[in-house]
Amino acid sequence: DGGITQSPKYLFRKEGQNVTLSCEQNLNHDAMYWYRQDPGQGLRLIYYSQIVNDFQKGDIAEGYSVSREKKESFPLTVTSAQKNPTAFYLCASSVPGQGYRATEAFFGQGTRLTVV
Amino acid sequence: DQQVKQNSPSLSVQEGRISILNCDYTNSMFDYFLWYKKYPAEGPTFLISISSIKDKNEDGRFTVFLNKSAKHLSLHIVPSQPGDSAVYFCAARPSSNTGKLIFGQGTTLQVKP
């Protein structure tokens, strides 16, 4: 079945450590996104990528890094510079819409990151 | 700067009645709006969308209304069912066409049997 797979589902990190969250999609989508969800704040965009080897910062990119070496994969690294990393992280993909032919973004099941 | 706002954190309705979830936005350059449904510890799933050239879109029990002059959209669910209990997010796409979405804070809907 086509879809987006995020792993792991739960992740614990010690303060000062970097950690990488995996996101893989087999939907043949060009665009991929990382969002962060905090209670009462909805989903905020961290990074997005429209094509391989290219990505742009979202609204809250500080303390995060990404790579897009393959169309199927868009891993997110939470670095020690991210001051409040404990959150629910969601990866999504889409076929960027042209004008009004926009298509919705499909989301993975999320990774709950906890800093201990 | 919250460009997409859902001012009601929660809503409780009786099974069989109508649920109305509201969303306001500030950016007149948004050209596409979407509603997502989310259960705890899961990713959001797409529900329904509307482009800015329309004022209504209907899909089964779900209808989205768009009032561009008021920069307001709403999601109507009728009749509401207990399985509809979830967090609902509205999202807007800037017409820059990057595909990225701006989300509201979400409204938790509880449908009581």
Short mmCIF file of all heavy atoms in Angstrom, two decimals, chain A residues 12-73:
data_model
loop_
_atom_site.label_atom_id
_atom_site.label_comp_id
_atom_site.label_asym_id
_atom_site.label_seq_id
_atom_site.Cartn_x
_atom_site.Cartn_y
_atom_site.Cartn_z
N PHE A 12 13.22 8.80 22.63
CA PHE A 12 13.68 9.51 23.81
C PHE A 12 15.12 9.97 23.56
O PHE A 12 15.93 9.23 23.05
CB PHE A 12 13.61 8.60 25.05
CG PHE A 12 12.21 8.21 25.41
CD1 PHE A 12 11.62 7.09 24.84
CD2 PHE A 12 11.46 8.99 26.28
CE1 PHE A 12 10.31 6.75 25.14
CE2 PHE A 12 10.15 8.64 26.59
CZ PHE A 12 9.58 7.53 26.02
N ARG A 13 15.37 11.19 23.95
CA ARG A 13 16.69 11.76 23.71
C ARG A 13 17.19 12.44 24.96
O ARG A 13 16.41 13.08 25.69
CB ARG A 13 16.59 12.78 22.58
CG ARG A 13 17.94 13.33 22.10
CD ARG A 13 17.76 14.59 21.27
NE ARG A 13 17.82 15.79 22.10
CZ ARG A 13 17.81 17.03 21.61
NH1 ARG A 13 17.70 17.21 20.32
NH2 ARG A 13 17.86 18.07 22.42
N LYS A 14 18.47 12.29 25.21
CA LYS A 14 19.06 13.01 26.33
C LYS A 14 19.40 14.42 25.88
O LYS A 14 19.69 14.66 24.70
CB LYS A 14 20.33 12.30 26.80
CG LYS A 14 20.08 10.95 27.44
CD LYS A 14 21.38 10.36 27.94
CE LYS A 14 21.14 9.01 28.61
NZ LYS A 14 22.41 8.41 29.09
N GLU A 15 19.34 15.33 26.80
CA GLU A 15 19.71 16.72 26.47
C GLU A 15 21.12 16.77 25.91
O GLU A 15 22.02 16.07 26.38
CB GLU A 15 19.62 17.59 27.73
CG GLU A 15 18.21 17.94 28.09
CD GLU A 15 18.13 19.12 29.04
OE1 GLU A 15 18.99 20.01 28.94
OE2 GLU A 15 17.23 19.13 29.87
N GLY A 16 21.31 17.58 24.87
CA GLY A 16 22.62 17.72 24.27
C GLY A 16 22.92 16.76 23.14
O GLY A 16 23.94 16.87 22.48
N GLN A 17 21.99 15.84 22.89
CA GLN A 17 22.19 14.88 21.81
C GLN A 17 21.41 15.28 20.58
O GLN A 17 20.31 15.82 20.67
CB GLN A 17 21.71 13.49 22.25
CG GLN A 17 22.62 12.77 23.20
CD GLN A 17 22.12 11.38 23.52
OE1 GLN A 17 20.93 11.10 23.39
NE2 GLN A 17 23.01 10.50 23.95
N ASN A 18 21.98 14.99 19.41
CA ASN A 18 21.23 15.11 18.16
C ASN A 18 20.45 13.82 17.94
O ASN A 18 20.87 12.74 18.36
CB ASN A 18 22.18 15.31 16.97
CG ASN A 18 22.87 16.66 17.01
OD1 ASN A 18 22.61 17.47 17.91
ND2 ASN A 18 23.75 16.88 16.08
N VAL A 19 19.32 13.92 17.26
CA VAL A 19 18.54 12.73 16.94
C VAL A 19 17.89 12.93 15.58
O VAL A 19 17.53 14.05 15.21
CB VAL A 19 17.46 12.47 18.03
CG1 VAL A 19 16.45 13.60 18.09
CG2 VAL A 19 16.78 11.14 17.82
N THR A 20 17.81 11.85 14.81
CA THR A 20 17.25 11.93 13.46
C THR A 20 15.96 11.13 13.37
O THR A 20 15.91 9.96 13.76
CB THR A 20 18.26 11.40 12.42
OG1 THR A 20 19.42 12.24 12.44
CG2 THR A 20 17.65 11.44 11.01
N LEU A 21 14.92 11.79 12.84
CA LEU A 21 13.62 11.17 12.63
C LEU A 21 13.51 10.80 11.16
O LEU A 21 13.82 11.60 10.27
CB LEU A 21 12.50 12.14 13.00
CG LEU A 21 12.18 12.35 14.48
CD1 LEU A 21 13.37 12.92 15.25
CD2 LEU A 21 10.99 13.28 14.63
N SER A 22 13.03 9.59 10.94
CA SER A 22 12.95 9.08 9.57
C SER A 22 11.57 9.33 8.96
O SER A 22 10.55 9.24 9.65
CB SER A 22 13.24 7.58 9.58
OG SER A 22 12.95 6.99 8.33
N CYS A 23 11.54 9.63 7.66
CA CYS A 23 10.29 9.76 6.93
C CYS A 23 10.51 9.22 5.52
O CYS A 23 11.39 9.69 4.80
CB CYS A 23 9.84 11.21 6.86
SG CYS A 23 8.31 11.44 5.91
N GLU A 24 9.73 8.22 5.15
CA GLU A 24 9.81 7.60 3.83
C GLU A 24 8.42 7.57 3.21
O GLU A 24 7.45 7.25 3.88
CB GLU A 24 10.34 6.17 3.95
CG GLU A 24 11.68 6.02 4.64
CD GLU A 24 12.84 6.29 3.71
OE1 GLU A 24 12.68 6.09 2.48
OE2 GLU A 24 13.92 6.69 4.21
N GLN A 25 8.35 7.88 1.91
CA GLN A 25 7.06 7.80 1.22
C GLN A 25 7.22 7.06 -0.11
O GLN A 25 8.26 7.18 -0.76
CB GLN A 25 6.48 9.21 0.99
CG GLN A 25 7.38 10.18 0.24
CD GLN A 25 7.06 10.36 -1.22
OE1 GLN A 25 6.17 9.71 -1.77
NE2 GLN A 25 7.81 11.23 -1.88
N ASN A 26 6.21 6.30 -0.44
CA ASN A 26 6.20 5.58 -1.72
C ASN A 26 5.02 6.01 -2.58
O ASN A 26 4.48 5.23 -3.36
CB ASN A 26 6.20 4.07 -1.50
CG ASN A 26 4.99 3.60 -0.70
OD1 ASN A 26 4.10 4.39 -0.39
ND2 ASN A 26 4.96 2.32 -0.35
N LEU A 27 4.63 7.28 -2.42
CA LEU A 27 3.52 7.85 -3.18
C LEU A 27 3.99 8.55 -4.44
O LEU A 27 3.18 9.09 -5.19
CB LEU A 27 2.76 8.84 -2.28
CG LEU A 27 2.15 8.22 -1.02
CD1 LEU A 27 1.73 9.33 -0.05
CD2 LEU A 27 0.96 7.35 -1.39
N ASN A 28 5.32 8.57 -4.64
CA ASN A 28 5.90 9.27 -5.79
C ASN A 28 5.60 10.76 -5.76
O ASN A 28 5.47 11.41 -6.81
CB ASN A 28 5.44 8.66 -7.12
CG ASN A 28 6.38 9.01 -8.26
OD1 ASN A 28 7.58 9.17 -8.07
ND2 ASN A 28 5.83 9.15 -9.46
N HIS A 29 5.49 11.31 -4.56
CA HIS A 29 5.24 12.74 -4.41
C HIS A 29 6.54 13.52 -4.49
O HIS A 29 7.57 13.10 -3.96
CB HIS A 29 4.55 13.03 -3.07
CG HIS A 29 3.12 12.62 -3.04
ND1 HIS A 29 2.39 12.59 -1.87
CD2 HIS A 29 2.27 12.28 -4.02
CE1 HIS A 29 1.15 12.22 -2.16
NE2 HIS A 29 1.06 12.01 -3.45
N ASP A 30 6.46 14.68 -5.14
CA ASP A 30 7.65 15.52 -5.24
C ASP A 30 7.94 16.28 -3.95
O ASP A 30 9.08 16.49 -3.57
CB ASP A 30 7.49 16.53 -6.39
CG ASP A 30 7.53 15.85 -7.74
OD1 ASP A 30 8.43 15.02 -7.95
OD2 ASP A 30 6.66 16.14 -8.58
N ALA A 31 6.88 16.76 -3.30
CA ALA A 31 7.06 17.64 -2.15
C ALA A 31 6.92 16.87 -0.83
O ALA A 31 6.09 15.98 -0.70
CB ALA A 31 6.02 18.76 -2.18
N MET A 32 7.76 17.24 0.12
CA MET A 32 7.69 16.66 1.46
C MET A 32 7.85 17.76 2.50
O MET A 32 8.49 18.79 2.23
CB MET A 32 8.76 15.56 1.64
CG MET A 32 8.56 14.38 0.70
SD MET A 32 9.67 12.99 1.02
CE MET A 32 8.96 12.31 2.53
N TYR A 33 7.27 17.52 3.67
CA TYR A 33 7.21 18.55 4.70
C TYR A 33 7.43 17.94 6.09
O TYR A 33 7.10 16.78 6.32
CB TYR A 33 5.81 19.22 4.71
CG TYR A 33 5.27 19.57 3.35
CD1 TYR A 33 4.62 18.62 2.56
CD2 TYR A 33 5.42 20.86 2.84
CE1 TYR A 33 4.12 18.94 1.31
CE2 TYR A 33 4.91 21.18 1.58
CZ TYR A 33 4.28 20.22 0.83
OH TYR A 33 3.79 20.54 -0.41
N TRP A 34 7.95 18.77 6.99
CA TRP A 34 8.00 18.39 8.40
C TRP A 34 7.23 19.45 9.19
O TRP A 34 7.47 20.65 9.05
CB TRP A 34 9.43 18.33 8.91
CG TRP A 34 10.08 17.00 8.66
CD1 TRP A 34 11.01 16.69 7.71
CD2 TRP A 34 9.86 15.80 9.40
NE1 TRP A 34 11.37 15.37 7.81
CE2 TRP A 34 10.67 14.79 8.84
CE3 TRP A 34 9.04 15.46 10.49
CZ2 TRP A 34 10.71 13.48 9.32
CZ3 TRP A 34 9.07 14.16 10.97
CH2 TRP A 34 9.91 13.19 10.39
N TYR A 35 6.32 18.95 10.03
CA TYR A 35 5.57 19.82 10.93
C TYR A 35 5.81 19.37 12.36
O TYR A 35 6.11 18.21 12.64
CB TYR A 35 4.06 19.73 10.65
CG TYR A 35 3.61 20.39 9.38
CD1 TYR A 35 3.59 19.69 8.18
CD2 TYR A 35 3.17 21.71 9.39
CE1 TYR A 35 3.16 20.30 7.01
CE2 TYR A 35 2.73 22.32 8.23
CZ TYR A 35 2.74 21.61 7.05
OH TYR A 35 2.31 22.22 5.90
N ARG A 36 5.59 20.30 13.25
CA ARG A 36 5.68 20.01 14.68
C ARG A 36 4.35 20.37 15.31
O ARG A 36 3.76 21.42 14.99
CB ARG A 36 6.80 20.84 15.29
CG ARG A 36 6.82 20.88 16.79
CD ARG A 36 7.96 21.73 17.31
NE ARG A 36 7.80 21.93 18.74
CZ ARG A 36 8.81 22.02 19.60
NH1 ARG A 36 10.07 21.97 19.16
NH2 ARG A 36 8.58 22.19 20.89
N GLN A 37 3.83 19.49 16.19
CA GLN A 37 2.60 19.79 16.89
C GLN A 37 2.87 19.91 18.38
O GLN A 37 3.44 19.00 19.00
CB GLN A 37 1.53 18.71 16.66
CG GLN A 37 0.21 19.07 17.31
CD GLN A 37 -0.81 17.96 17.27
OE1 GLN A 37 -0.49 16.81 16.97
NE2 GLN A 37 -2.05 18.28 17.58
N ASP A 38 2.46 21.03 18.95
CA ASP A 38 2.48 21.24 20.39
C ASP A 38 1.05 21.47 20.85
O ASP A 38 0.22 21.98 20.10
CB ASP A 38 3.36 22.44 20.74
CG ASP A 38 4.81 22.23 20.39
OD1 ASP A 38 5.49 21.52 21.15
OD2 ASP A 38 5.26 22.75 19.35
N PRO A 39 0.76 21.14 22.10
CA PRO A 39 -0.62 21.32 22.59
C PRO A 39 -1.11 22.75 22.40
O PRO A 39 -0.44 23.70 22.78
CB PRO A 39 -0.50 20.95 24.07
CG PRO A 39 0.69 20.04 24.15
CD PRO A 39 1.65 20.56 23.11
N GLY A 40 -2.30 22.88 21.81
CA GLY A 40 -2.92 24.19 21.66
C GLY A 40 -2.31 25.07 20.59
O GLY A 40 -2.72 26.23 20.44
N GLN A 41 -1.34 24.54 19.83
CA GLN A 41 -0.69 25.40 18.83
C GLN A 41 -0.84 24.87 17.42
O GLN A 41 -0.27 25.43 16.51
CB GLN A 41 0.79 25.55 19.15
CG GLN A 41 1.06 26.31 20.43
CD GLN A 41 2.47 26.85 20.49
OE1 GLN A 41 2.98 27.36 19.50
NE2 GLN A 41 3.11 26.74 21.64
N GLY A 42 -1.58 23.83 17.21
CA GLY A 42 -1.73 23.33 15.86
C GLY A 42 -0.43 22.79 15.31
O GLY A 42 0.47 22.39 16.05
N LEU A 43 -0.31 22.79 13.99
CA LEU A 43 0.86 22.25 13.32
C LEU A 43 1.67 23.42 12.76
O LEU A 43 1.15 24.27 12.05
CB LEU A 43 0.44 21.34 12.16
CG LEU A 43 0.02 19.91 12.49
CD1 LEU A 43 -1.26 19.88 13.29
CD2 LEU A 43 -0.14 19.10 11.22
N ARG A 44 2.96 23.42 13.07
CA ARG A 44 3.82 24.48 12.58
C ARG A 44 4.89 23.88 11.66
O ARG A 44 5.50 22.86 11.97
CB ARG A 44 4.47 25.23 13.76
CG ARG A 44 3.46 26.00 14.59
CD ARG A 44 4.15 26.77 15.71
NE ARG A 44 4.69 25.87 16.72
CZ ARG A 44 5.55 26.26 17.66
NH1 ARG A 44 6.00 27.50 17.69
NH2 ARG A 44 5.98 25.39 18.57
N LEU A 45 5.16 24.55 10.55
CA LEU A 45 6.04 24.04 9.52
C LEU A 45 7.50 24.26 9.89
O LEU A 45 7.91 25.38 10.19
CB LEU A 45 5.73 24.74 8.19
CG LEU A 45 6.51 24.28 6.97
CD1 LEU A 45 6.18 22.84 6.63
CD2 LEU A 45 6.20 25.20 5.78
N ILE A 46 8.28 23.18 9.85
CA ILE A 46 9.70 23.26 10.18
C ILE A 46 10.54 23.43 8.91
O ILE A 46 11.30 24.39 8.79
CB ILE A 46 10.15 21.98 10.93
CG1 ILE A 46 9.31 21.73 12.17
CG2 ILE A 46 11.63 22.08 11.30
CD1 ILE A 46 9.57 20.40 12.85
N TYR A 47 10.42 22.49 8.00
CA TYR A 47 11.13 22.53 6.71
C TYR A 47 10.23 21.91 5.66
O TYR A 47 9.36 21.10 5.95
CB TYR A 47 12.43 21.70 6.78
CG TYR A 47 13.67 22.46 7.14
CD1 TYR A 47 14.14 22.46 8.45
CD2 TYR A 47 14.39 23.17 6.18
CE1 TYR A 47 15.29 23.15 8.81
CE2 TYR A 47 15.55 23.86 6.53
CZ TYR A 47 16.00 23.84 7.84
OH TYR A 47 17.15 24.52 8.18
N TYR A 48 10.47 22.28 4.40
CA TYR A 48 9.80 21.62 3.30
C TYR A 48 10.73 21.52 2.11
O TYR A 48 11.69 22.30 1.98
CB TYR A 48 8.48 22.30 2.94
CG TYR A 48 8.59 23.70 2.41
CD1 TYR A 48 8.48 23.97 1.04
CD2 TYR A 48 8.76 24.78 3.27
CE1 TYR A 48 8.54 25.26 0.56
CE2 TYR A 48 8.83 26.07 2.80
CZ TYR A 48 8.72 26.31 1.44
OH TYR A 48 8.78 27.60 0.97
N SER A 49 10.42 20.57 1.26
CA SER A 49 11.25 20.31 0.08
C SER A 49 10.32 20.03 -1.10
O SER A 49 9.42 19.21 -1.01
CB SER A 49 12.14 19.09 0.33
OG SER A 49 12.75 18.64 -0.87
N GLN A 50 10.55 20.73 -2.18
CA GLN A 50 9.70 20.53 -3.35
C GLN A 50 10.31 19.58 -4.37
O GLN A 50 9.61 19.00 -5.19
CB GLN A 50 9.41 21.87 -4.01
CG GLN A 50 8.51 22.76 -3.15
CD GLN A 50 8.06 23.98 -3.88
OE1 GLN A 50 8.76 24.97 -3.96
NE2 GLN A 50 6.86 23.92 -4.45
N ILE A 51 11.64 19.47 -4.34
CA ILE A 51 12.32 18.55 -5.25
C ILE A 51 13.56 18.00 -4.55
O ILE A 51 14.02 18.55 -3.55
CB ILE A 51 12.74 19.22 -6.57
CG1 ILE A 51 13.62 20.43 -6.29
CG2 ILE A 51 11.53 19.61 -7.40
CD1 ILE A 51 14.22 21.03 -7.54
N VAL A 52 14.12 16.96 -5.11
CA VAL A 52 15.33 16.35 -4.54
C VAL A 52 16.46 17.38 -4.54
O VAL A 52 16.58 18.20 -5.45
CB VAL A 52 15.73 15.11 -5.36
CG1 VAL A 52 17.04 14.52 -4.86
CG2 VAL A 52 14.64 14.06 -5.28
N ASN A 53 17.26 17.30 -3.47
CA ASN A 53 18.43 18.18 -3.29
C ASN A 53 18.08 19.65 -3.12
O ASN A 53 18.94 20.52 -3.32
CB ASN A 53 19.43 18.00 -4.45
CG ASN A 53 20.08 16.63 -4.45
OD1 ASN A 53 20.38 16.07 -3.40
ND2 ASN A 53 20.27 16.07 -5.64
N ASP A 54 16.85 19.92 -2.75
CA ASP A 54 16.45 21.30 -2.48
C ASP A 54 15.45 21.32 -1.35
O ASP A 54 14.55 20.47 -1.28
CB ASP A 54 15.82 21.92 -3.72
CG ASP A 54 15.54 23.40 -3.52
OD1 ASP A 54 16.45 24.12 -3.04
OD2 ASP A 54 14.42 23.84 -3.79
N PHE A 55 15.61 22.26 -0.41
CA PHE A 55 14.66 22.39 0.69
C PHE A 55 14.69 23.82 1.20
O PHE A 55 15.66 24.56 0.97
CB PHE A 55 14.96 21.39 1.82
CG PHE A 55 16.40 21.34 2.26
CD1 PHE A 55 16.91 22.27 3.15
CD2 PHE A 55 17.25 20.35 1.77
CE1 PHE A 55 18.24 22.22 3.57
CE2 PHE A 55 18.58 20.28 2.17
CZ PHE A 55 19.08 21.21 3.07
N GLN A 56 13.60 24.22 1.86
CA GLN A 56 13.47 25.58 2.38
C GLN A 56 13.05 25.54 3.84
O GLN A 56 12.36 24.62 4.27
CB GLN A 56 12.41 26.36 1.59
CG GLN A 56 12.83 26.75 0.18
CD GLN A 56 12.68 25.60 -0.77
OE1 GLN A 56 11.72 24.84 -0.69
NE2 GLN A 56 13.62 25.47 -1.69
N LYS A 57 13.45 26.57 4.56
CA LYS A 57 13.04 26.70 5.95
C LYS A 57 11.56 27.06 6.04
O LYS A 57 11.05 27.83 5.23
CB LYS A 57 13.86 27.77 6.66
CG LYS A 57 15.34 27.43 6.81
CD LYS A 57 16.06 28.54 7.54
CE LYS A 57 17.54 28.18 7.73
NZ LYS A 57 18.28 29.26 8.44
N GLY A 58 10.92 26.48 7.05
CA GLY A 58 9.56 26.87 7.36
C GLY A 58 9.56 27.96 8.42
O GLY A 58 10.52 28.74 8.54
N ASP A 59 8.53 27.97 9.25
CA ASP A 59 8.38 29.02 10.24
C ASP A 59 9.22 28.83 11.49
O ASP A 59 9.52 29.79 12.20
CB ASP A 59 6.90 29.12 10.65
CG ASP A 59 6.01 29.43 9.46
OD1 ASP A 59 6.40 30.29 8.64
OD2 ASP A 59 4.93 28.81 9.35
N ILE A 60 9.63 27.59 11.77
CA ILE A 60 10.35 27.31 13.02
C ILE A 60 11.54 26.41 12.77
O ILE A 60 11.74 25.40 13.41
CB ILE A 60 9.40 26.69 14.08
CG1 ILE A 60 8.70 25.43 13.54
CG2 ILE A 60 8.35 27.69 14.55
CD1 ILE A 60 8.04 24.59 14.61
N ALA A 61 12.41 26.78 11.83
CA ALA A 61 13.51 25.91 11.41
C ALA A 61 14.70 25.90 12.37
O ALA A 61 15.55 24.99 12.28
CB ALA A 61 13.97 26.33 10.02
N GLU A 62 14.78 26.86 13.26
CA GLU A 62 15.97 26.95 14.13
C GLU A 62 16.12 25.71 14.99
O GLU A 62 15.18 25.30 15.66
CB GLU A 62 15.87 28.19 15.01
CG GLU A 62 17.12 28.41 15.87
CD GLU A 62 17.06 29.69 16.68
OE1 GLU A 62 16.12 30.48 16.48
OE2 GLU A 62 17.94 29.88 17.52
N GLY A 63 17.33 25.13 14.96
CA GLY A 63 17.60 23.94 15.76
C GLY A 63 17.30 22.64 15.04
O GLY A 63 17.43 21.56 15.62
N TYR A 64 16.89 22.74 13.78
CA TYR A 64 16.58 21.56 12.96
C TYR A 64 17.41 21.58 11.69
O TYR A 64 17.82 22.63 11.23
CB TYR A 64 15.10 21.53 12.58
CG TYR A 64 14.13 21.47 13.73
CD1 TYR A 64 13.51 22.63 14.20
CD2 TYR A 64 13.82 20.26 14.34
CE1 TYR A 64 12.62 22.58 15.25
CE2 TYR A 64 12.91 20.21 15.40
CZ TYR A 64 12.33 21.38 15.85
OH TYR A 64 11.43 21.33 16.89
N SER A 65 17.63 20.39 11.12
CA SER A 65 18.24 20.29 9.80
C SER A 65 17.59 19.13 9.06
O SER A 65 17.05 18.21 9.66
CB SER A 65 19.76 20.10 9.89
OG SER A 65 20.06 18.85 10.48
N VAL A 66 17.63 19.21 7.71
CA VAL A 66 17.04 18.18 6.87
C VAL A 66 17.97 17.89 5.70
O VAL A 66 18.91 18.62 5.43
CB VAL A 66 15.66 18.59 6.32
CG1 VAL A 66 14.63 18.72 7.44
CG2 VAL A 66 15.77 19.88 5.52
N SER A 67 17.65 16.81 5.00
CA SER A 67 18.32 16.50 3.75
C SER A 67 17.29 15.87 2.82
O SER A 67 16.28 15.32 3.27
CB SER A 67 19.49 15.54 3.95
OG SER A 67 19.04 14.30 4.48
N ARG A 68 17.53 15.99 1.52
CA ARG A 68 16.60 15.37 0.55
C ARG A 68 17.44 14.81 -0.61
O ARG A 68 17.51 15.34 -1.69
CB ARG A 68 15.61 16.41 0.02
CG ARG A 68 14.53 15.82 -0.86
CD ARG A 68 13.39 15.24 -0.12
NE ARG A 68 12.44 14.52 -0.90
CZ ARG A 68 11.44 15.07 -1.61
NH1 ARG A 68 11.31 16.40 -1.67
NH2 ARG A 68 10.60 14.31 -2.27
N GLU A 69 18.10 13.70 -0.29
CA GLU A 69 18.98 13.07 -1.28
C GLU A 69 18.21 12.14 -2.21
O GLU A 69 18.66 11.84 -3.32
CB GLU A 69 20.10 12.33 -0.56
CG GLU A 69 21.01 13.22 0.26
CD GLU A 69 22.07 12.45 1.04
OE1 GLU A 69 22.10 11.21 0.91
OE2 GLU A 69 22.84 13.07 1.77
N LYS A 70 17.06 11.67 -1.75
CA LYS A 70 16.22 10.79 -2.55
C LYS A 70 14.79 11.32 -2.52
O LYS A 70 14.36 11.91 -1.53
CB LYS A 70 16.24 9.37 -2.00
CG LYS A 70 17.58 8.69 -2.01
CD LYS A 70 17.47 7.23 -1.57
CE LYS A 70 16.88 7.10 -0.19
NZ LYS A 70 16.80 5.67 0.23
N LYS A 71 14.05 11.07 -3.56
CA LYS A 71 12.67 11.54 -3.64
C LYS A 71 11.84 10.93 -2.51
O LYS A 71 10.93 11.56 -1.99
CB LYS A 71 12.08 11.15 -4.98
CG LYS A 71 10.71 11.71 -5.27
CD LYS A 71 10.27 11.35 -6.68
CE LYS A 71 8.95 11.99 -7.02
NZ LYS A 71 8.53 11.69 -8.41
N GLU A 72 12.15 9.69 -2.14
CA GLU A 72 11.32 8.97 -1.19
C GLU A 72 11.59 9.34 0.27
O GLU A 72 10.81 9.00 1.14
CB GLU A 72 11.56 7.46 -1.34
CG GLU A 72 11.30 6.90 -2.72
CD GLU A 72 12.44 7.14 -3.68
OE1 GLU A 72 13.57 7.42 -3.22
OE2 GLU A 72 12.21 7.07 -4.90
N SER A 73 12.71 10.00 0.54
CA SER A 73 13.16 10.15 1.92
C SER A 73 13.42 11.60 2.28
O SER A 73 14.02 12.35 1.50
CB SER A 73 14.43 9.32 2.10
OG SER A 73 14.93 9.45 3.41
#
